[in-house]
Amino acid sequence: MWIIAGWAAVAATSIVGAVVLGPVRGVFIAWTLISVSALALVARNVQIRASRQRGERSLAPEPSDRTSRAWRGWLRALLAGPIGLAAAMGVAVCFAVWAPLEDQTRIVLGGVTVPILWGGAMAWTLADDRILRATAVLVGTAVVTFAAAVLKGF
């Protein structure tokens, strides 16, 4: 019963929005209002409880307390910089070569994803305690994606 009533409310809101504001803008505004009203319904029943103290938890945990070595610092800098960039560019070039989209769309999406992927590679390599794992993954990603792009041809 409630499911049928909910779908009827969605249909009625869409139809009224289309009649009042036009078929494109009205449906868009109606569906936006449906989402906002669902969020308001959920937010109405939110209860803020005191959290249990299980220890120190943070969204940005501190780096490990191991003794630092010079080669680890240099390797992290190389991974966050040029190696991470090479892996990000490899994924973007592979996408631009293999995606079944128009040429302009593939090039633009490939170019837009490079800074996002590079930022992800930086964050991961600087936060991960296992630096050799990050090295293997980023170098492997760069080699595999560039090789896949070369297989089809730039």
Side-chain angles (χ1 to χ4, degrees), residues 4 18 21 33 35-36 39 56 62 67 78 81 85 90 95 99 103 117-118 134 137 144:
I4 294 171
L21 298 172
L33 289 176
S35 300
V36 170
L39 181 63
E56 185 78 22
E62 293 296 322
T67 59
L78 287 173
L85 176 62
F95 174 81
D103 292 342
L117 294 171
W118 190 16
V137 169
V144 167

Side-chain angles (χ1 to χ4, degrees), residues 36-47:
V36 170
S37 62
L39 181 63
L41 182 69
V42 170
R44 185 185 71 171
N45 292 325
V46 169
Q47 297 176 358

Side-chain angles (χ1 to χ4, degrees), residues 31-132:
W31 281 57
T32 304
L33 289 176
I34 291 168
S35 300
V36 170
S37 62
L39 181 63
L41 182 69
V42 170
R44 185 185 71 171
N45 292 325
V46 169
Q47 297 176 358
I48 298 175
R49 295 183 274 173
S51 64
R52 290 181 260 151
Q53 298 296 328
R54 289 190 221 169
E56 185 78 22
R57 292 177 101 185
S58 171
L59 292 176
E62 293 296 322
S64 64
D65 293 330
R66 291 188 296 190
T67 59
S68 62
R69 300 235 159 79
W71 68 271
R72 286 184 178 271
W74 285 101
L75 186 57
R76 283 190 197 279
L78 287 173
L79 287 173
I83 297 173
L85 176 62
M89 286 180 58
V91 171
V93 167
C94 188
F95 174 81
V97 169
W98 285 94
L101 301 169
E102 294 293 324
D103 292 342
Q104 298 87 351
T105 305
R106 290 185 293 141
I107 291 170
V108 168
L109 287 177
V112 168
T113 59
V114 170
I116 296 167
L117 294 171
W118 190 16
M122 283 184 191
W124 178 49
T125 57
L126 295 175
D128 194 7
D129 284 337
R130 298 185 179 192
I131 194 72
L132 296 178

